[in-house]
Amino acid sequence: MWYAIEGTDNADSLEQRKSARPAHLARLQALCDAGRLLLCGPFPAIDSEDPGPAGFTGSLIVAEFSDLAAAQAWAEQDPYIAVGVYRSVSVRPFKRVLP
C-alpha cells in the first residue's frame, strides 16, 4: 500500500537540511530503484523553485510499504530527523487514484 510521509521542518534548519541531503536522497533513491517511490520533494518556504536562504518548510514522500508500521519505521530513520531538520513527521495511508 502507498503511504504519505510528511515531515515538517524546524525553523532555521536549512544548513542541517543541506548537510543531510545526500544521505536523505540515497534512501529515496533506494525506494525508487525498488519501484516503491511514487513521488517526493520539499515544500519551498516561498513561491519559488529555488527558495534560496528562505529554505523549506517540510517534505512529502509517497512510497509503498507492506504496512503502516513499516512506513513509520522507515520514516523514523530519516537522516533529516537525526540532524534536527524535521520537528514532526506524520505517516498516513494514501490511496492513489490518478494518474
Side-chain angles (χ1 to χ4, degrees):
M1 180 165 188
W2 296 106
Y3 293 88
I5 301 169
E6 185 174 355
T8 302
D9 286 17
N10 280 304
D12 301 317
S13 61
L14 183 57
E15 290 309 312
Q16 293 95 326
R17 181 180 268 274
K18 288 178 181 178
S19 72
R21 189 168 190 262
H24 174 77
L25 290 179
R27 295 179 80 233
L28 292 169
Q29 187 62 55
L31 285 176
C32 187
D33 292 347
R36 296 175 42 211
L37 183 64
L38 181 62
L39 64 88
C40 66
F43 299 115
I46 60 173
D47 189 12
S48 173
E49 283 281 323
D50 180 4
F56 301 91
T57 61
S59 302
L60 175 66
I61 300 163
V62 179
E64 187 176 35
F65 294 92
S66 59
D67 56 35
L68 181 59
Q72 289 171 325
W74 186 91
E76 289 169 4
Q77 298 302 312
D78 197 293
Y80 282 177
I81 292 175
V83 300
V85 173
Y86 292 154
R87 68 175 160 85
S88 66
V89 175
S90 69
V91 181
R92 295 176 283 180
F94 179 82
K95 181 177 165 97
R96 181 179 181 178
V97 176
L98 294 171

